[in-house]
């Protein structure tokens, strides 16, 4: 037996069909190398590229018809250069012609497979699956951080790695390419696309991984959507959701991301116990596991991936859900990095809300019979994020571990959190003062002063000394509306209650007895009272007026441009270069 290849001016490509035997009278297909003149005279045929149906970065359906519509893409130049052209113009030669030109036959034969070599044994894929199931049944010791890599799933995929124009612009420019196209992005029904699929899937393990933001826990916890998804899997013993149990093939994991931004004094075990209390207060069932991770620092990522690989077994699905900017895509990329996979097929992860648009299967992290599916971020309808543009939204996201700023404040005074929110102390039962400790991004400027006239001072410095919002979006920022809160605390030397503002962070309240606060936020922003997450106060108290932490707008305002020597003028006894026709002495 001999293998014949298709030769062209680009290279050699072996036929995937069985090898032809040299028999008289039969014809075989061979491509003869064209001369340089013929190659330049005749147009080359288009290359063969196996294109995917959806973007590997966001999951949107790809299209090449409308550049302004979602999913538009262009084939990267590197794929055009690496791909082989089609062989539509291959010449048909008689075997006698091949025998007359031994150099063609020699180049067409395969040096890897001699004529008398026995065929390589083929392993049945069903046997591989059987061995994998047996491995799951047979117990064996495994190290806690054993990570398996399934990179062959990417290598075996024949589809090219294609990203849409939106993902390309987000990755390289940090912004969307077409702002108008954001209004026509496809919607995603979690009840139908996730909850119903999980409920109808039989004989496969299902894992629901919910990713929340550690700094904005209450604002990033999708309570309503989770109740819709989890109701399909609950076997209720009574009307209390905390005592309900899941079906045997379903597990619910809560992942607290961005743990590196929490105060350094906060312990992980305290955070996990506090998170279980918040889930119970929201009416959600008890999770199977709580994982505390940091996708940026890599904390807990390997342990989480190990849990997923062990929990999903040989056949199952892992659904990753969460609100926008909770860090789902960043966490998936961190797991890919922990598994030693390349970044060529990383999902698109940026600070722009709503980067992922469709359900996206991520290869390489789970066994062949399993799938890890990234889903679009849920809309933050109760968050401050919906009122800020993407470039200003970065100011709300801390860049380092949070440090509290404590204000000693008495009734009749207020604290401004940038131009975004305001807290008025209306009354306090047992003492003259209480302590407010905002745990927010250090790029948000704070102000403390009398409640009387604070609205006028906010409006005067909005977008300038009080930012965000900046001067560009300040005029369109909505007016603040009040929410009255009644708190009951046990001591004032540390925070005993928290006031959480969705999208911003939280404010610790140290109070002994009853107190009444009025929290002013844009309309629809969720404000909640909860058990304290961080009880400590700052070492140094903030003074009245504008706080020491400055926003970007104030930094730009205080920055004085450097003057040239000519603008500064000469020093005493110094002469300056004279202009033409003038003297040089000063």
């Amino acid at each position: 037996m001999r293998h014949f290849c298709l030769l062209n001016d680009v290279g050699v490509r072996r036929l995937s069909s069985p090898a032809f035997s040299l028999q008289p009278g039969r014809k075989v297909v061979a491509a003869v190398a064209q001369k340089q003149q013929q190659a330049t005279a005749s147009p080359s045929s288009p290359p063969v590229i196996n294109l995917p149906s959806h973007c590997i970065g966001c999951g949107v359906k790809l299209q090449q018809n409308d550049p302004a519509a979602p999913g538009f893409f262009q084939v990267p130049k590197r794929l055009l250069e690496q791909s082989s052209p089609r062989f539509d113009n291959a010449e048909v030669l008689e075997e006698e012609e091949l025998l007359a030109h031994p150099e063609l036959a020699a180049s067409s034969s395969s040096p890897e497979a001699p004529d008398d070599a026995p065929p390589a044994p083929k392993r049945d894929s069903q046997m591989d699956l059987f061995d994998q199931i047996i491995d799951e049944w047979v117990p064996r010791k495994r190290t806690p951080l054993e990570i398996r890599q399934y990179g062959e799933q990417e290598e075996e995929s024949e589809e090219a790695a294609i990203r849409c124009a939106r993902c390309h612009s987000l990755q390289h420019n940090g912004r969307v390419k077409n702002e108008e196209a954001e209004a026509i992005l496809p919607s995603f029904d979690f009840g139908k696309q996730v909850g119903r699929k999980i409920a109808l899937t039989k004989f496969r393990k299902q894992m629901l991984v919910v990713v929340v933001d550690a700094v904005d826990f209450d604002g990033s916890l999708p309570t309503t959507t989770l109740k819709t998804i989890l109701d399909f899997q609950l076997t209720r013993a009574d009307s209390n959701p905390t005592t309900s149990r899941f079906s045997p093939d379903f597990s619910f994991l809560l992942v607290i991301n961005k743990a590196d931004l929490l105060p350094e004094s906060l312990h992980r075990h305290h955070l996990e116990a506090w998170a279980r209390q918040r889930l119970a207060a929201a009416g959600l069932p008890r999770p199977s596991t709580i994982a505390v991770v940091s996708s940026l620092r890599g904390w807990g990522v390997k342990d989480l991936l190990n849990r997923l690989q062990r929990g999903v077994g040989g056949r199952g699905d892992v659904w990753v859900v969460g609100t926008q900017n909770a860090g789902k895509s960043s966490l998936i990329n961190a797991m890919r990095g922990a598994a030693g996979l390349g970044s060529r097929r990383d999902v698109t992860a940026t600070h722009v809300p709503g980067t992922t648009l469709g359900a996206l299967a991520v290869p390489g992290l789970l066994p062949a019979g399993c799938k890890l599916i990234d889903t679009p971020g849920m809309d933050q309808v109760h968050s401050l994020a919906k009122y800020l543009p993407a470039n200003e939204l970065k100011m709300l996201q801390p860049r380092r571990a949070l440090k509290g700023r404590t204000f000693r404040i008495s009734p009749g005074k207020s604290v401004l959190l940038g131009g975004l929110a305001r807290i008025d102390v209306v009354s306090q039962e047992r003492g003259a003062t209480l302590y407010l400790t905002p745990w927010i991004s250090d790029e948000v400027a704070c102000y403390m002063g009398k409640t009387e006239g604070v609205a006028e001072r906010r409006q005067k410095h909005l977008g300038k000394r009080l930012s965000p919002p900046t001067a560009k979006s300040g005029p369109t920022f909505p007016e603040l509306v009040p929410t009255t809160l009644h708190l009951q605390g046990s001591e004032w030397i540390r925070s005993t209650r928290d006031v959480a503002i969705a999208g911003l962070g939280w404010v610790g309240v140290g109070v002994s007895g009853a107190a009444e606060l009025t929290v002013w936020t844009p309309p629809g922003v969720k404000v909640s009272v909860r058990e304290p997450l961080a009880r400590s106060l700052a070492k140094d108290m903030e003074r009245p007026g504008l706080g020491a932490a400055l926003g970007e707008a104030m930094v730009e305002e205080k920055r004085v441009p450097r003057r040239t020597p000519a603008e500064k003028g000469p020093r005493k006894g110094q002469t300056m270069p004279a202009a033409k026709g003038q003297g040089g002495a000063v």
Side-chain angles (χ1 to χ4, degrees):
M1 291 288 186
R2 291 188 178 181
H3 298 273
F4 289 94
C5 305
L6 297 180
L7 285 77
N8 52 72
D9 55 346
V10 176
V12 179
R13 178 178 178 182
R14 182 178 300 173
L15 290 174
S16 58
S17 58
F20 295 97
S21 59
L22 293 178
Q23 298 178 0
R26 289 193 58 184
K27 295 182 179 181
V28 295
V29 179
V32 180
Q34 303 293 332
K35 295 182 180 180
Q36 185 67 24
Q37 296 81 359
Q38 297 176 353
T40 55
S42 60
S44 60
S45 57
V48 179
I49 302 177
N50 190 7
L51 298 177
S53 59
H54 292 76
C55 172
I56 67 168
C58 66
V60 70
K61 189 174 182 180
L62 295 174
Q63 55 90 19
Q64 286 185 297
N65 299 326
D66 187 2
F72 179 77
F73 77 101
Q74 293 179 341
V75 181
K77 184 178 180 181
R78 57 179 176 82
L79 293 180
L80 296 176
E81 295 175 350
Q82 296 174 2
S83 60
S84 301
R86 295 178 180 174
F87 303 97
D88 300 331
N89 300 325
E91 297 184 12
V92 179
L93 303 179
E94 295 288 346
E95 291 180 354
E96 290 78 7
E97 298 184 32
L98 287 177
L99 296 176
H101 299 278
E103 66 277 3
L104 292 180
S107 60
S108 300
S109 61
S110 174
E112 301 177 0
D115 296 339
D116 55 350
K122 295 184 178 179
R123 182 172 176 85
D124 192 358
S125 59
Q126 295 182 356
M127 292 299 298
D128 292 337
L129 180 60
F130 177 76
D131 292 343
Q132 188 175 1
I133 296 176
I134 293 298
D135 290 340
E136 297 294 334
W137 285 350
V138 178
R140 64 185 184 90
K141 293 184 179 180
R142 182 180 297 177
T143 57
L145 295 181
E146 179 182 353
I147 301 299
R148 294 185 178 182
Q149 184 198 83
Y150 303 94
E152 66 274 4
Q153 298 176 9
E154 296 185 354
E155 297 175 0
E156 294 174 358
S157 177
E158 298 180 354
E159 294 182 346
I162 299 293
R163 298 182 187 272
C164 64
R166 181 176 181 268
C167 285
H168 185 273
S169 179
L170 286 172
Q171 276 195 328
H172 294 83
N173 304 324
R175 58 182 178 84
V176 294
K177 186 176 183 180
N178 188 359
E179 294 284 352
E180 298 178 356
E182 296 296 299
I184 57 175
L185 293 177
S187 58
F188 190 86
D189 189 349
F190 279 87
K192 182 183 298 183
Q193 299 291 335
V194 180
R196 185 172 177 83
K197 283 187 177 181
I198 293 177
L200 295 178
T201 303
K202 305 299 181 183
F203 309 110
R204 289 177 64 91
K205 291 186 177 181
Q206 302 291 312
M207 302 181 70
L208 183 68
V209 179
V210 181
V211 182
V212 296
D213 188 344
V215 178
D216 187 24
F217 187 93
D218 292 76
S220 61
L221 183 64
T223 305
T224 304
T225 305
L226 283 183
K227 289 181 178 179
T228 303
I229 298 175
L230 295 176
D231 278 345
F232 289 101
Q233 300 297 327
L234 286 176
T235 303
R236 297 187 181 277
D238 49 38
S239 58
N240 188 0
T242 59
T243 61
S244 304
R245 295 183 178 180
F246 296 115
S247 59
D249 292 334
F250 179 82
S251 56
F252 164 37
L253 279 74
L254 179 70
V255 178
I256 305 177
N257 195 15
K258 305 180 184 180
D260 59 305
L261 300 179
L262 292 177
E264 298 177 355
S265 59
L266 189 61
H267 198 274
R268 180 176 62 88
H269 297 294
H270 170 70
L271 176 61
E272 293 178 0
W274 177 87
R276 289 189 177 93
Q277 294 179 356
R278 295 307 302 156
L279 292 178
L284 295 172
R286 186 182 181 89
S288 307
T289 305
I290 293 182
V292 180
V293 303
S294 169
S295 57
L296 179 63
R297 304 293 183 184
W299 300 348
V301 175
K302 288 186 177 181
D303 184 61
L304 174 62
L305 181 56
N306 179 267
R307 292 183 185 183
L308 297 182
Q309 293 178 349
R310 288 185 299 173
V312 75
R315 289 174 57 85
D317 302 320
V318 176
W319 300 82
V320 183
V321 302
T323 58
Q324 297 173 352
N325 277 2
K328 298 184 292 75
S329 300
S330 299
L331 178 60
I332 291 176
N333 291 339
M335 288 192 292
R336 287 177 54 84
L341 300 174
S343 60
R344 185 172 62 94
R345 289 185 175 270
D346 279 357
V347 295
T348 304
T350 64
H351 65 278
V352 179
T355 300
T356 307
L357 302 179
L360 181 62
V362 182
L365 297 177
L366 300 179
C370 307
K371 292 186 297 183
L372 188 142
I373 305 165
D374 185 19
T375 59
M378 305 175 194
D379 293 335
Q380 296 175 298
V381 294
H382 302 296
S383 175
L384 275 170
K386 66 179 181 180
Y387 292 106
L388 294 176
N391 58 336
E392 297 182 16
L393 192 60
K394 295 188 296 184
M395 301 176 66
L396 299 185
Q397 300 174 1
R399 301 182 183 180
R400 57 190 67 87
L402 293 178
K403 293 184 179 180
R405 288 170 274 178
T406 301
F407 295 88
R408 184 179 180 183
I409 187 170
S410 58
K413 293 186 179 181
S414 303
V415 172
L416 290 173
L417 306 178
L420 303 172
R422 163 183 149 200
I423 300 179
D424 301 341
V425 180
V426 180
S427 63
Q428 205 276 327
E429 180 183 6
R430 297 181 181 177
T433 61
L434 53 81
Y435 294 88
L436 299 181
T437 306
W439 297 91
I440 57 179
S441 171
D442 56 4
E443 295 189 38
V444 179
C446 295
Y447 171 86
M448 183 179 69
K450 294 183 178 180
T451 303
E452 182 181 359
V454 69
E456 291 76 11
R457 288 191 291 272
R458 172 187 174 272
Q459 194 65 32
K460 177 181 179 181
H461 299 292
L462 184 64
K464 301 175 183 177
R465 306 191 72 180
L466 289 174
S467 66
T470 60
K472 185 176 181 180
S473 61
T476 60
F477 197 77
E479 293 293 330
L480 306 183
V481 296
T483 301
T484 302
L485 302 178
H486 296 275
L487 287 74
Q488 185 72 33
S490 58
E491 54 184 340
W492 54 265
I493 59 175
R494 61 178 185 170
S495 298
T496 55
R497 304 295 287 173
D498 279 352
V499 176
I501 303 176
L504 181 60
W506 76 93
V507 179
V509 182
V511 59
S512 179
E516 180 181 351
L517 305 179
T518 301
V519 181
W520 297 74
T521 60
V525 175
K526 181 180 179 181
V527 179
S528 56
V529 180
R530 67 189 191 189
E531 292 294 324
L533 178 58
R535 295 179 176 270
S536 60
L537 306 181
K539 295 182 179 180
D540 300 323
M541 299 294 163
E542 298 290 326
R543 297 180 178 180
L546 191 67
L550 305 179
E552 289 184 353
M554 184 176 179
V555 173
E556 294 293 335
E557 182 180 357
K558 284 184 171 293
R559 184 174 297 165
V560 179
R562 181 177 297 178
R563 294 185 299 171
T564 62
E567 294 173 338
K568 292 180 180 179
R571 296 179 181 178
K572 186 175 182 181
Q574 182 184 16
T575 59
M576 296 292 293
K580 293 182 178 180
Q582 299 180 358
V586 177

